Amino acid sequence: MLLEKRVILVTGGASGIGYACVKAYVKEGALVAVLDVDATALNSLMLEIGNDHMGVVCDVSDAVQIEDAIEKVISRYGVLNCIHNNAGIANPAKALHETSMMEWRRLMDVNLFSIYLTTKYGLEYLKDSGGCILNTGSMVGSMGQADHAVYAATKGAVNALTKSMAIDYAPFGIRVNTVAPAGVWTPMLRKWADEQRNTEEIENYLNDIHLLGFCPQGDVIADACVFLCSDKASFVTGCIMPVSGGAELGYRRS
């Protein structure tokens, strides 16, 4: 198993891509600590994966809660091998000038500030283990997206942050990478699609933007994340890895 006995902390791990990653990490032998603000979803996940793993209800934008959560992980397992910064929100679907200051701050806090917090409070433990950091980004961070200016801005910042962190932490043997999906059928994307006037056209669009011809489930992203957290990626750092079915090439399926 690629991740046997490694302790991986996953933020936003109770649904969507995070959920798929947690299940994949467990399958590969990891001990997983899941941080999520949704207590109901988190409890359901813990029933699936069992008592060898731990769940902590946590607002990832709150410094006190992040510090406490990481200390709980260390208290239980004694080591931290990987931090997967997966937590993220995409709402509101608005142009920049229509976005309120509160909406701006919440997007920045969840998608970006949370990475600062997990690094601040987890770095010394990663130094001890020679561990790694993985961020969940998005292709919109390099391509942009209509009516999601602030979300795209946070993901562009994640890309730049990943590269700078990779440079800063390489002397400690800590790798830092980002996985960058395009469309992925998560509860968040499904909710957005269902809210559109032309849901069927949206589904066709999401299939067609991927060169390989379909919008995937979270498991294909999780496969790449397993690789990036494993020794198979021991010489990979500062990488923004697209897992996008070719969407970044700008073509459409004929």
Side-chain angles (χ1 to χ4, degrees), residues 91-225:
N91 292 329
K94 298 178 181 177
L96 180 62
H97 71 284
E98 297 173 328
T99 305
S100 72
M101 286 186 283
M102 185 176 295
E103 290 166 337
W104 167 281
R105 287 171 180 155
R106 187 59 182 162
L107 276 158
M108 291 292 174
D109 283 349
V110 174
N111 294 4
L112 198 58
F113 185 55
S114 63
I115 298 176
Y116 162 76
L117 292 176
T118 59
T119 303
K120 178 177 177 64
Y121 295 112
L123 183 65
E124 291 304 316
Y125 301 117
L126 294 180
K127 288 181 181 178
D128 291 341
S129 67
C132 65
I133 297 171
L134 176 61
N135 302 317
T136 298
S138 170
M139 289 308 304
V140 306
S142 57
M143 297 172 65
Q145 186 177 25
D147 294 324
H148 280 89
V150 184
Y151 173 71
T154 64
K155 294 304 183 179
V158 168
N159 290 350
L161 193 59
T162 296
K163 294 179 181 181
S164 295
M165 291 168 66
I167 295 167
D168 288 341
Y169 303 142
F172 305 109
I174 297 172
R175 300 181 297 105
V176 186
N177 294 293
T178 283
V179 62
V184 180
W185 282 121
T186 63
M188 184 167 64
L189 183 60
R190 173 56 63 189
K191 180 176 183 295
W192 173 81
D194 289 343
E195 290 170 349
Q196 306 309 303
R197 295 189 302 272
N198 52 345
T199 300
E200 185 175 345
E201 291 180 23
I202 289 293
E203 292 190 6
N204 290 335
Y205 166 78
L206 288 168
N207 286 331
D208 287 345
I209 64 171
H210 299 85
L211 197 63
L212 294 180
F214 66 96
C215 184
Q217 303 292 325
D219 59 320
V220 302
I221 313 302
D223 288 342
C225 291

Side-chain angles (χ1 to χ4, degrees), residues 19-34:
Y19 170 86
C21 288
V22 168
K23 295 296 290 292
Y25 296 156
V26 169
K27 183 178 179 181
E28 291 294 340
L31 299 168
V32 184
V34 185

